[in-house]
Amino acid sequence: MPTQRRTIAPANRLVTLIALAVASALPSSAIAQVAHDIWITDGPVYGMTRDADTLYVGGFFSRVGPATGSALLYDPYTAEALVPWPAVAGNVNAVAADGAGGWYIGGSFTTVQGQPRNNLAHLDAHSRVTAWNPNANGPVNALLKLGATIYVGGGFTLVSGIARNGLAAVDTGGVVKAWNPVATGGAVYCLAASSAPGLTIYAGGAFSGAGIVGRSRAAAFDTTGAVLPWNPNSNGIVYSIAVSGGTVYLGGSFTTLNGATGRSYIAAADPSTGTVTSWNPGANSVVYAIATARGIVYAGGFFTTAGGQLRNYLAAIDSATGLATGWNPNPNANGYVRALALAGGTMYAGGKFTQIGGQARLHMAALDTLTGLATPWAPQPNDEVDAIGVGPTICAGGLFTSNGGVVRNNIAAIDLTTGDVTSWNPGADNLVESLVVSGGLVYAGGGFQNIGGQHRNYLAALDQVTGAATAWNPTVIGADVHAMVQSGSVLYIGGGFTTVGGLSRYRLAAIDTSTGVPTAWHPATNSAVFALALDAGVMYAGGTFTTIGPGPTSAVGDSARLELAAIDASSGAVLPWNPNLSGAGSFVNALAASGGLLYVGGIYSSIGGQSRKDLSALDLVTGLATGWNPNPSNEIKTIAADGGTIYVGGTFTSIGTNALIRNRVAALNAGTGAATAWDANAPGTVDALTAGGGLVSVGGVFTTIGNRPFAHVAVFTDGTAGVAPVTRAPIAQLEIAPNPSRGAASLRFRMPAAAAGEVAIYDLAGRRVRVLARGDFAAGDRRMSWDGRDASGRPVAPGLYFARVRAGALDLTAHVLRLK
């Protein structure tokens, strides 16, 4: 696809814009509303706190980037992710070109670009979801387009409400065809076809039957859906099938075919009978993907030897001899390859790796088929790639949730006025679990030993502007800091530690925020503290402990307090307040004091003299449970109170006195305990919440939430009127943030109407440095990122650049100042 040439502005016009650019850099009032499309992390978020328009997040992640979803179309020359993003909420396992520049995608997803699409969808040539909607009720793992028919394989039982077990055929209008082979006993994972002597559809997977006959993990069908005699009879799952030169190649987890013939993970079979040929490369572990061309069989998987040679996860094998050729891209150890696609002299490989072909590449790369070296084409999906298709664009699908972004190790700050990550970058070497902002500092607690450029055991104070660790260093020893509460000049901490500042402090401590020296306050517990809440001079602590007493160490004779205790915040004396929590394997994860009550979340069956499952409200004076009883179906991990609403997160799937389905996060009426209409619907655990100012921030292990492709962190409007991502005022110009920048800069603009156009970066001489996007832009807010590199992938020199948007009647320009 040749690059379209466009005229660019004369240099003198760009130079005259410098004054406008400088003027636009002057401070302006913050936008009051928060962008709903905030950047996301590539790993779990366990702690968060909000300070004005900044959301601080901590967890176990390595990158932060835009929420693209799990399918992207890439420019075949620049590797730029094309807009609009498909925004798939879920995983994409399979892609197939539609022959007109668009793509069919299949996987385990619920929406595409905000439209309901269950596991099957179609994207047009401009990356927009179409009306095609066959609606499979289970995962789709394989797609094969032949003419006007799309063959579908997976783990479904219904397509468009019609019974189809694991295999189906749908036309380009979305109508299910009569073809109905019926795979039983397991899912279908791959499809391939041969046209000679007649059209044959080959299927592989985990199934044990096809139609009414037994077929162990591989079968063939004609165009009527009849099962053909072809029967390799595999003893393991078949993940990949490729047909070439009158031979059917199979890859998978098998070790024998034809009932007894030994074939380790890769084999070749006769296309009519399924009889195994003598070709026997013998990989030493699973083969997930196969592609063939010019007498070479390319195999990708989890193996480290194939064709008689050491080959990490990817090999080229001679189709005649079964021996590995010298081609050896050698992905990094502890990785694997899940997808392969050939286009001329280029092999596109996807999987889970960070280096391949002698270059750093995130999970996807283009490799020269002669040398095995990586080409300059370098997309940046943030997680595993499971499917690749080659057409006018390169379509990739998988487990990834973002593309590009920036490195942020376990701690980051997100600007809620733009949705983008800020330049603040302390970089922790292990997980961050708790965060507190106070007095221009961000206190971070967790399992790290280095953060903000300094050695800091489990606890640090970070400059809120630079991210550098201050000299404040209490030196926590023993184990993680799980919880923190700051009050005046004291920071209270709870966790699994045993020493603070050289003094014995068993799992609870109070530290002077000026000196970093522990105060005399030293109650001690016999096991971990996970949660703290302060109210009216009383510190409430929850965890797994069963006794608590005066420090410096826990000792015989300490007061019995089962997982929950009240302590005088000044003296450290254990108070008589004792809800006496109980239940098999009970513990407390979360505490929140609000409205004269203490809300307690965790795992337990009784508390405060009442039967209460995992969530309760306790009287702060008596310790007795109130009548408030939402009765969640499973564990509560986090609580945030906001006026008359109590937000909770965890692993539950139903909650409230009205027993509503609420997946892992809910808003509860503080008076009745009923679940409100707010329903964010997280398919994975919710570990962190903040609430206030009309916003609810949610963090955890989820990769989608609210049927949107937001992974691990999301921001919603509050629980008073259902779940609607917050929208911001219309954009009247080209906005760039952060600006100036050292890392990635986000460009945001509004398309008043759909139009073809281009977004590009220019230098002061008017030379185009990089095309960020080209094609048809849909109406509405658009956003993309520039990582400070030119079209060849090289970092640009520090200085002033210009971003320009030209689409239809729209012509916007803004400066971008790159710092060293």
Side-chain angles (χ1 to χ4, degrees):
M1 185 172 68
T3 300
Q4 184 177 359
R5 294 288 180 184
R6 295 174 182 262
T7 58
I8 61 174
N12 61 344
R13 180 184 175 193
L14 287 179
V15 171
T16 62
L17 291 173
I18 292 177
L20 296 176
V22 172
S24 69
L26 295 175
S28 61
S29 59
I31 298 172
Q33 290 182 305
V34 179
H36 70 271
D37 53 344
I38 67 168
W39 281 28
I40 59 174
T41 64
D42 67 348
V45 168
Y46 296 125
M48 55 172 48
T49 191
R50 180 184 166 200
D51 182 48
D53 289 328
T54 301
L55 179 68
Y56 295 91
V57 296
F60 196 63
F61 50 83
S62 59
R63 294 186 74 85
V64 182
T68 65
S70 57
L72 283 171
L73 275 59
Y74 292 99
D75 186 290
Y77 300 102
T78 67
E80 294 292 338
L82 304 181
V83 293
W85 300 321
V88 177
N91 302 330
V92 172
N93 304 325
V95 302
D98 68 0
W103 296 90
Y104 294 95
I105 61 173
S108 299
F109 50 82
T110 56
T111 65
V112 178
Q113 290 175 347
Q115 299 299 311
R117 292 293 184 274
N118 287 322
N119 308 317
L120 277 169
H122 177 239
L123 304 170
D124 67 16
H126 306 295
S127 192
R128 297 173 299 211
V129 66
T130 71
W132 191 80
N133 186 17
N135 190 29
N137 74 333
V140 170
N141 301 319
L143 294 171
L144 175 67
K145 184 179 183 295
L146 298 174
T149 301
I150 299 93
Y151 293 91
V152 183
F156 48 83
T157 57
L158 295 171
V159 178
S160 292
I162 300 170
R164 290 292 184 270
N165 212 79
L167 286 164
V170 184
D171 69 20
T172 53
V175 177
V176 177
K177 305 187 78 168
W179 192 79
N180 185 20
V182 184
T184 59
V188 173
Y189 288 109
C190 56
L191 294 169
S194 172
S195 58
L199 182 61
T200 299
I201 309 298
Y202 297 95
F207 53 86
S208 57
I212 59 173
V213 299
R215 286 291 185 269
S216 182
R217 304 175 179 93
F221 313 94
D222 67 16
T223 54
T224 70
V227 183
L228 299 178
W230 190 79
N231 185 16
N233 191 21
S234 169
N235 75 333
I237 296 172
V238 173
Y239 288 110
S240 184
I241 294 179
V243 182
S244 178
T247 301
V248 180
Y249 296 94
L250 301 94
S253 62
F254 52 81
T255 55
T256 65
L257 295 172
N258 295 155
T261 305
R263 289 293 182 270
S264 295
Y265 309 109
I266 186 168
D270 183 279
S272 299
T273 65
T275 301
V276 178
T277 73
S278 59
W279 190 78
N280 187 14
N284 70 336
S285 192
V286 179
V287 170
Y288 290 120
I290 294 177
T292 63
R294 299 180 293 276
I296 301 296
V297 179
Y298 296 89
F302 198 65
F303 53 83
T304 55
T305 64
Q309 299 293 327
L310 294 173
R311 291 292 183 268
N312 280 337
Y313 319 127
L314 185 56
I317 302 166
D318 189 290
S319 63
T321 65
L323 298 177
T325 72
W327 190 80
N328 185 17
N330 193 30
N332 57 280
N334 302 315
Y336 48 85
V337 171
R338 292 297 302 257
L340 295 172
L342 271 167
T346 302
M347 168 64 75
Y348 293 91
K352 187 87 168 178
F353 49 78
T354 56
Q355 187 157 339
I356 191 171
Q359 299 292 327
R361 292 291 183 268
L362 279 178
H363 314 303
M364 188 177 177
L367 306 169
D368 188 294
T369 55
L370 294 178
T371 65
L373 298 178
T375 75
W377 193 82
Q380 292 184 311
N382 72 341
D383 205 342
E384 181 177 318
V385 172
D386 292 324
I388 302 175
V390 178
T393 56
I394 310 301
C395 184
L399 306 183
F400 58 87
T401 55
S402 180
N403 188 79
V406 294
V407 173
R408 291 291 184 270
N409 288 317
N410 306 316
I411 186 169
I414 298 169
D415 185 333
L416 294 179
T417 63
T418 65
D420 301 341
V421 71
T422 73
S423 59
W424 192 78
N425 184 19
D429 66 352
N430 208 329
L431 78 164
V432 173
E433 300 171 71
S434 55
L435 294 164
V436 169
V437 177
S438 178
L441 299 174
V442 180
Y443 295 95
F448 53 82
Q449 293 188 316
N450 294 279
I451 191 171
Q454 300 293 328
H455 180 73
R456 294 290 183 268
N457 274 348
Y458 310 127
L459 181 64
L462 308 169
D463 188 287
Q464 199 170 356
V465 175
T466 67
T470 70
W472 188 84
N473 185 14
T475 314
V476 177
I477 295 175
D480 299 14
V481 171
H482 300 305
M484 297 187 293
V485 171
Q486 186 262 341
S487 178
S489 62
V490 176
L491 181 72
Y492 296 90
I493 63 172
F497 51 84
T498 56
T499 303
V500 179
L503 302 174
S504 293
R505 291 292 184 270
Y506 273 58
R507 304 167 188 101
L508 281 167
I511 304 166
D512 188 292
T513 55
S514 297
T515 65
V517 176
T519 72
W521 193 82
H522 58 175
T525 64
N526 68 338
S527 191
V529 172
F530 292 137
L532 296 172
L534 181 64
D535 185 87
V538 177
M539 179 62 68
Y540 299 90
T544 58
F545 55 85
T546 56
T547 65
I548 184 170
T553 62
S554 56
V556 175
D558 285 348
S559 299
R561 293 290 186 273
L562 298 179
E563 293 97 29
L564 184 58
I567 308 142
D568 187 293
S570 298
S571 68
V574 179
L575 302 178
W577 188 85
N578 184 11
N580 197 28
L581 180 147
S582 66
S586 60
F587 52 85
V588 171
N589 287 322
L591 298 171
S594 178
L597 299 173
L598 182 71
Y599 295 90
V600 182
I603 288 183
Y604 53 85
S605 58
S606 69
I607 191 171
Q610 300 292 329
S611 175
R612 291 287 184 272
K613 186 179 186 305
D614 303 337
L615 181 62
S616 60
L618 305 178
D619 187 287
L620 290 175
V621 176
T622 65
L624 297 178
T626 71
W628 194 78
N629 186 15
N631 193 35
S633 62
N634 212 329
E635 181 179 359
I636 299 295
K637 286 181 167 286
T638 180
I639 303 173
D642 184 18
T645 304
I646 308 300
Y647 295 91
V648 295
T651 62
F652 55 86
T653 54
S654 68
I655 196 170
T657 52
N658 46 352
L660 294 184
I661 293 174
R662 291 291 182 267
N663 288 319
R664 287 101 185 169
V665 63
L668 305 171
N669 185 290
T672 66
T676 73
W678 191 85
D679 184 11
N681 187 31
T685 304
V686 169
D687 292 285
L689 289 167
T690 70
L695 297 178
V696 181
S697 304
V698 186
V701 184
F702 52 85
T703 53
T704 66
I705 189 168
N707 290 316
R708 309 257 179 137
F710 297 121
H712 311 299
V713 58
V715 176
F716 296 100
T717 50
D718 66 24
T720 60
V723 174
V726 179
T727 57
R728 58 180 291 177
I731 301 167
Q733 58 187 358
L734 176 57
E735 298 176 356
I736 302 177
N739 193 14
S741 66
R742 290 184 175 87
S746 177
L747 286 67
R748 189 181 180 100
F749 59 95
R750 184 174 182 81
M751 288 291 298
E758 178 183 272
V759 181
I761 304 295
Y762 296 90
D763 64 15
L764 290 182
R767 295 181 294 249
R768 186 165 53 189
V769 174
R770 173 96 166 260
V771 174
L772 300 183
R774 181 187 292 121
D776 285 355
F777 299 150
D781 290 355
R782 304 266 67 85
R783 191 172 72 179
M784 54 203 66
S785 177
W786 182 42
D787 60 4
R789 295 177 182 272
D790 64 18
S792 300
R794 296 184 297 267
V796 300
L800 191 62
Y801 295 82
F802 287 86
R804 189 175 185 187
V805 177
R806 288 177 293 174
L810 193 68
D811 193 341
L812 302 174
T813 304
H815 85 289
V816 189
L817 181 59
R818 298 293 302 178
L819 302 178
K820 186 173 181 180

